[in-house]
């Protein structure tokens, strides 16, 4: 199948190379000439495990290319996927890029008899595709729906696992406003053997938001319970959650033994959720609800708990030390999760800002995200030392904070940490493995 993908960011590029790997002919569009040039020689501009190898493979097979020209990309395409960014503006999503894409595609359709299915893959609130996108296409083309197709196909990609998630999905949502687009989407996804949900575009849009809002709610309720456990004393929230996990509705018991679904990883105490999806999507859903006169009390609470959660680290350390002024502190992990360079809404930004306000001496380490972190934290970066080898910093540090759950930080148990304070904000290591250190975490009161 011939596909044009407008936008070669995280979603667009991963989708493009994966569709090409399945035998489709794919053209990715990006306005940035330097990005297009990079992609056409096999150099991705985003970090994602397995992406460089897959990009080189589909380029070699001549099934993938990049261009800056929207019209040339869609003149032979059967489907045009809109995969541009929808950044957050005061809690609402900014649809300007989606709107501009629809106008450009509509301008092409105005001069061509070609029937094209326009499918939104960007994350947009319910009611966007069948109103704003449709209106822009109809106005720019002078044609009505039917002369072109319209659909919505949300993505469910986890950063660091995006190639696997795309190639081995748990479900595919086929949102459509016309039968011809549904047929094309079914053909496009025919190689995938998984549940396929066929719905209208509004339902497809809402599935994406509901999915992320419910995941975020689980994280926030667990963190609120963890904070209560710490306040009560004599209770470890991780032990509490292990007991909760054994409920057969979370971990079904089968003839092969007990299952441990991945959803349980969202039911562990920590320092909050971040990234490009959960915070933005929960905020957008709340904003949409409030615009319709709904109070959205639950989503407000989810966001409030999450906003305050990273503050647990410094407040706990201040209860222990009295003051952090001058304390030598090493922060391990700057991205919002391991194996990515994405620092958007990362808890580490808040943790480091809190440490600097407390006048601690701060060193940071991350194998991928240091440069993005410097940009995100701005001028405060001048007060931070960024290390290229965290293991060599252990002797210097009085306090070590594990801020992301990267497995390499588990090596801390084999290093000399006697007399140091280890704050394991992600419950990565067993406290018994660092018996000579003062082990602190979220969800357990100081001894």
């Amino acid at each position: 199948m011939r596909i044009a993908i407008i936008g070669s960011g995280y979603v667009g590029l991963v989708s493009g190379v994966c569709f090409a790997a399945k035998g489709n002919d794919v053209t990715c569009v990006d306005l940035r000439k330097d990005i297009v040039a990079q992609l056409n020689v096999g150099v991705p501009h985003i970090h994602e495990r397995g992406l460089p190898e897959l990009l080189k493979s589909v380029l070699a097979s001549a099934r993938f290319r990049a261009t800056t020209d929207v019209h040339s990309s869609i003149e032979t395409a059967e489907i045009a996927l809109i995969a541009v960014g929808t950044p957050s503006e005061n809690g609402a999503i900014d649809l300007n890029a989606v709107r501009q894409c629809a106008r450009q595609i509509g301008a092409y359709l105005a001069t061509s008899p070609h029937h094209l299915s326009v499918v939104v893959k960007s994350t947009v609130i319910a009611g966007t595709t069948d109103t704003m996108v449709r209106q822009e296409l109809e106005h720019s083309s002078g044609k009505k729906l039917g002369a072109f197709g319209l659909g919505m196909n949300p993505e469910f990609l986890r950063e660091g696992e995006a190639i696997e998630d795309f190639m081995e999905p748990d479900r595919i949502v086929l949102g459509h406003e016309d039968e011809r687009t549904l047929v094309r989407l079914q053909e496009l996804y025919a190689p995938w053997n998984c549940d396929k949900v066929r719905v209208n575009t509004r339902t497809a849009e809402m599935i994406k938001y509901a999915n992320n809002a419910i995941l975020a709610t689980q994280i926030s309720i667990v963190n609120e319970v963890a904070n209560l456990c710490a306040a009560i004393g004599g209770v470890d929230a991780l032990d509490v959650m292990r007991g909760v996990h054994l409920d057969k509705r979370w971990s079904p018991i089968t003839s092969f033994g007990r299952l441990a679904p991945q959803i349980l990883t969202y039911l562990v105490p920590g320092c909050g959720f971040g990234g490009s999806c959960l915070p933005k999507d929960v905020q957008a859903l709340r904003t949409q609800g409030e615009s319709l006169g709904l109070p959205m009390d639950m989503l407000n609470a989810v966001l409030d708990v999450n906003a305050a959660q990273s503050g647990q680290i410094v407040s706990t350390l201040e209860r222990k030390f009295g003051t952090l002024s001058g304390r030598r502190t090493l922060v391990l992990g700057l991205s919002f999760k391991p194996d990515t360079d994405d620092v958007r809404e990362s808890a580490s930004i808040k943790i480091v800002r809190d440490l600097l306000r407390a006048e601690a001496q701060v060193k940071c380490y991350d194998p991928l995200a240091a440069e993005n972190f410097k940009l995100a934290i701005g001028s405060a970066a001048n007060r931070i030392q960024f290390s290229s080898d965290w293991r060599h910093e252990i002797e210097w540090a009085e306090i070590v904070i594990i801020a992301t759950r990267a497995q390499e930080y588990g090596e801390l148990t084999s290093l000399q940490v006697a007399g140091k304070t280890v704050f394991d904000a992600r419950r990565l290591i067993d406290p018994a493995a660092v018996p000579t250190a003062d082990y602190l975490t979220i969800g357990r009161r100081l001894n």
Side-chain angles (χ1 to χ4, degrees):
M1 199 169 215
R2 297 180 302 278
I3 310 165
I5 300 180
I6 319 301
S8 62
Y10 186 81
V11 172
L13 182 56
V14 170
S15 300
V17 297
C18 289
F19 279 133
K22 287 290 189 178
N24 297 287
D25 185 87
V26 178
T27 303
C28 264
V29 180
D30 199 290
L31 298 179
R32 298 162 292 183
K33 293 181 180 179
D34 57 330
I35 297 299
V36 167
Q38 280 183 242
L39 293 178
N40 282 327
V41 294
V43 180
H45 57 289
I46 59 172
H47 177 83
E48 182 59 42
R49 183 165 55 86
L51 181 58
E53 296 83 0
L54 196 57
L55 175 59
K56 287 183 173 65
S57 172
V58 295
L59 282 168
S61 66
R63 291 194 300 267
F64 178 93
R65 70 205 59 81
T67 182
T68 59
D69 187 348
V70 173
H71 285 192
S72 69
S73 74
I74 60 179
E75 61 185 0
T76 60
E78 296 160 87
I79 293 178
L81 286 171
I82 296 177
V84 294
T86 53
S88 182
E89 286 286 332
N90 299 317
I93 59 169
D94 182 348
L95 292 171
N96 283 331
V98 175
R99 188 185 303 276
Q100 183 61 29
C101 274
R103 287 175 180 170
Q104 289 180 293
I105 294 171
Y108 164 78
L109 293 173
T111 61
S112 172
H114 174 202
H115 187 281
L116 179 72
S117 287
V118 181
V119 177
V120 177
K121 202 160 186 68
S122 303
T123 299
V124 296
I125 57 173
T128 298
T129 301
D130 67 337
T131 57
M132 184 272 282
V133 174
R134 176 178 177 175
Q135 289 163 8
E136 293 291 348
L137 287 168
E138 290 184 339
H139 182 265
S140 298
S141 68
K143 299 177 180 179
K144 295 296 183 182
L145 179 63
F148 60 86
L150 191 61
M152 202 283 157
N153 174 222
E155 52 83 17
F156 301 96
L157 306 179
R158 298 168 298 163
E159 291 192 36
E161 309 292 336
I163 302 294
E164 179 182 345
D165 286 347
F166 199 101
M167 291 302 205
E168 300 178 18
D170 41 25
R171 81 291 205 193
I172 296 170
V173 177
L174 308 177
H176 62 284
E177 292 297 319
D178 62 287
E179 285 302 311
R180 193 166 180 180
T181 294
L182 175 59
V183 169
R184 282 174 170 162
L185 285 172
Q186 289 179 148
E187 180 184 346
L188 177 62
Y189 283 106
W192 281 268
N193 183 24
C194 65
D195 289 323
K196 292 168 185 173
V197 184
R198 297 160 181 85
V199 291
N200 64 23
T201 58
R202 289 191 176 201
T203 305
E205 290 159 342
M206 183 55 82
I207 288 171
K208 167 70 174 184
Y209 276 97
N211 193 87
N212 282 351
I214 292 168
L215 291 175
T217 300
Q218 292 179 182
I219 294 169
S220 281
I221 186 58
V222 168
N223 282 334
E224 189 155 78
V225 168
N227 297 341
L228 179 59
C229 291
I232 292 169
V235 182
D236 188 331
L238 191 58
D239 291 337
V240 171
M241 294 318 301
R242 285 177 181 141
V244 171
H245 290 182
L246 293 175
D247 186 316
K248 63 185 177 183
R249 288 165 293 188
W250 290 115
S251 305
I253 302 171
T254 72
S255 58
F256 300 102
R258 187 181 288 275
L259 302 180
Q262 287 189 2
I263 193 67
L264 298 182
T265 63
Y266 289 82
L267 297 176
V268 176
C271 47
F273 57 80
S276 61
C277 291
L278 293 191
K280 177 173 77 76
D281 291 355
V282 176
Q283 290 166 8
L285 199 59
R286 174 186 64 180
T287 299
Q288 185 181 30
E290 290 175 346
S291 73
L292 296 171
L294 300 175
M296 308 305 289
D297 294 334
M298 180 69 78
L299 295 187
N300 275 310
V302 168
L303 291 167
D304 288 346
V305 170
N306 194 63
Q309 190 63 21
S310 60
Q312 292 289 323
I313 288 86
V314 168
S315 63
T316 300
L317 289 169
E318 286 179 328
R319 286 196 297 274
K320 171 181 170 59
F321 289 104
T323 177
L324 295 182
S325 180
R327 295 281 180 181
R328 300 186 302 278
T329 306
L330 175 63
V331 178
L332 300 180
L334 301 175
S335 57
F336 84 97
K337 63 179 288 188
D339 302 318
T340 178
D341 60 355
D342 194 342
V343 300
R344 286 174 286 184
E345 301 288 342
S346 171
S348 296
I349 294 174
K350 302 170 189 175
I351 294 167
V352 170
R353 288 195 187 280
D354 286 348
L355 289 168
L356 294 175
R357 275 193 290 270
E359 299 184 338
Q361 296 183 54
V362 180
K363 289 187 178 183
C364 294
Y365 169 83
D366 191 287
L368 300 170
E371 292 305 314
N372 286 342
F373 189 85
K374 291 174 186 177
L375 293 174
I377 205 164
S379 61
N382 296 327
R383 299 170 56 195
I384 304 165
Q385 292 185 51
F386 291 87
S387 175
S388 60
D389 187 345
W390 67 270
R391 298 162 189 83
H392 289 167
E393 307 294 351
I394 296 300
E395 183 178 356
W396 168 87
E398 297 172 78
I399 301 167
V400 180
I401 299 172
I402 301 175
T404 63
R405 196 179 170 80
Q407 292 305 308
E408 67 174 296
Y409 305 143
E411 295 177 31
L412 195 65
T413 59
S414 63
L415 301 178
Q416 181 54 254
V417 293
K420 300 181 185 297
T421 296
V422 174
F423 198 118
D424 184 2
R426 298 296 184 180
R427 295 293 184 123
L428 176 66
I429 63 177
D430 183 348
V434 285
T436 59
D438 188 3
Y439 180 90
L440 303 178
T441 191
I442 290 171
R444 193 174 73 175
R445 184 188 286 180
L446 289 169
N447 295 331

